[in-house]
Amino acid sequence: MNVNLYINFLSYLGVALLLLIVGVALFAISTPKLKEFHLITEKNVTAAMSLGGKVMGLAIVLGAAAEYSVSLVDMVIWGAIGIVSQIIVFILAEIITIRFSIHKAIEEDNRAVGTLLVSLSLAVGWILAKCLSY
């Protein structure tokens, strides 16, 4: 039985989950006007879709970082790059959609916008993950 195999597994899992938590926290900090956690407690489905999409997009990126990294440090570096990239894309989406405010649409529980945000987060996560496969 190779104990190092289990230690590596637990190490990568722990680092990936920690990066996921950090990524979600950074999303919350970088979008202070948007109180997704609070809106979710008020049964706002669009806020849940938006946050859920971010979590899934980050998970896709972090999974690729774990799969393709050569060490834990490499995984952390590429995971951080993926987190920052996801946040930048979300902020750009708010800027680009000048016809409506994503922030306001989430507060108003506009599920069409929520569906678009889930799709955007998953698409960006998928693209970033593929860019990590060097």
Side-chain angles (χ1 to χ4, degrees), residues 22-134:
V22 167
V24 172
L26 287 174
F27 258 117
I29 292 168
S30 66
T31 55
K33 294 187 299 182
L34 187 56
K35 306 290 185 203
E36 287 168 320
F37 289 105
H38 175 71
L39 292 170
I40 290 168
T41 63
E42 294 180 350
K43 300 179 181 175
N44 183 313
V45 174
T46 304
M49 293 171 74
S50 175
L51 184 60
K54 291 172 186 173
V55 170
M56 290 299 300
L58 289 173
I60 291 168
V61 171
L62 295 172
E67 182 177 1
Y68 299 114
S69 64
V70 295
S71 68
L72 275 176
V73 172
D74 191 43
M75 178 188 168
V76 170
I77 291 168
W78 286 108
I81 290 169
I83 290 168
V84 171
S85 299
Q86 285 275 72
I87 291 169
I88 289 170
V89 168
F90 186 82
I91 292 169
L92 286 174
E94 179 72 44
I95 293 168
I96 291 170
T97 55
I98 56 176
R99 290 184 178 259
F100 65 93
S101 166
I102 290 176
H103 170 264
K104 188 173 180 180
I106 291 171
E107 285 182 346
E108 294 173 353
D109 203 10
N110 181 333
R111 294 179 188 171
V113 171
T115 302
L116 178 66
L117 291 174
V118 168
S119 301
L120 178 64
S121 292
L122 293 175
V124 170
W126 182 260
I127 291 168
L128 287 169
K130 293 304 170 182
C131 291
L132 290 176
S133 60
Y134 48 87

